[in-house]
Structure formats: structure tokens, C-alpha cells
Amino acid sequence: MLISLTHGLLICAGLIVAIGAQNAFVLQQGLRREHAWLVAGVCALCDWLLIGLGVLGLGALIAQQALLMEVARWAGAAFLAWQAWLALRRAMLSNALVAGTGSQGSWRAALAATLAVTLLNPQVYLETLVLLGAIGAVQPSPLGFFIGAALASFGWFFGLVAAAGWLAPRLASPRVWQIIDALIAMILAWVAWRLASGAMLP
């Protein structure tokens, strides 16, 4: 079980650490202190659910549903493009929010945005349900693999929020915030383009 757990931990960590729309969103929420722990928890729970379903064999079935993947691809690209525009608009404002001082949106809005940025991305299903699920299913201990992957997901998202919370008070300059929002906008726009072009699909 320990070997399978280690495999799950390392493989999931390798996939999840790559900068993408979800990580950019979590980092943004952490820096802005807008329901960041809720966002991290939802991201981790979604990972756990999808990886668990993949290990149980659902991944192969989902991968065969071309229409479902196509709808998710375009919906995800549109949502990410909208989020990129919002970040770009914030970056262009001279009165950009200073860390932790802006008014927070509702937790429901944060929850909805987190679910959208997580579940409207076909790459999430390919990485969790299909890839991790397929690898986990053939491990000596699928349960151990799942636990390792879950630990990697939990550690990454909550660690990202904790790091952002530590950095937030040190990012007191509106100019710094404009740069951060501009970078987030570029990342989200890049991922949206790759989704729309099909570059993230096999």
C-alpha cells in the first residue's frame, strides 16, 4: 500500500503543480482573501471525487462521451475567457484592490466560480478520471494510490492559499496587484485558447 500511496502522491503532485486556470484562480482568491479556504476545499474535494471515480473505472466510460467533452470544452473556454477579461480589467484600473482590503463577494459566488473553473475544463477529467484513474486502477493498492493522490491535492491547494495569505499583506502596492492581475489574465486567456483550439484534448 505504501508504494501505491507514494505513486499517487508523486503522480498527482506532478500534474497538479503545473500552472493552469484552477491554480491561477485559487492563487487569486488567496491573494485577495476572498473565501480562499472554501475555494481550496472545493478544489480538493472535486479532485478526490473525480480521482476516486476514475480509480473505480468510470474514467474509461467518460472518455468515450465525445459530445459531453465537447460541450465542456467550449463552456470552459468561454468561462475562462470571461475570467481573463475580468482580471485584465482589474489590471487596467488605477485603483486596483490592495491585498485583503477589498469588499468580498458572497461565498455562493465564490463556490459557483470554483466549480465552474474546475468542472468546465475537460483537462480536469482527462487528468483525474482518465489518467490518474487508469493508473490507480492497476496499482497493487488502488486505495493507497487514491490516498496518496488525495494528500497531494489537499497539500497543494491549501498550501497555495496559505502561501498567498502570507504574501498578501506584503503586496501593499496597487501597482503590484495590477501586475498580478495581468499575469492571471494571461494565464487564463492562454488556457482558454488552448481549450478552444483542442490542444488540451488527445
Side-chain angles (χ1 to χ4, degrees), residues 136-147:
V138 298
Q139 293 293 308
S141 173
L143 176 60
F145 182 89
F146 169 77
I147 293 173

Side-chain angles (χ1 to χ4, degrees), residues 153-190:
S153 177
F154 179 89
W156 172 253
F157 287 121
F158 282 90
L160 194 60
V161 167
W166 181 82
L167 286 171
R170 294 158 177 81
L171 301 177
S173 168
R175 180 61 177 170
V176 173
W177 270 103
Q178 288 178 305
I179 294 172
I180 291 172
D181 276 325
L183 290 174
I184 289 173
M186 287 190 290
I187 292 171
L188 294 177
W190 178 74

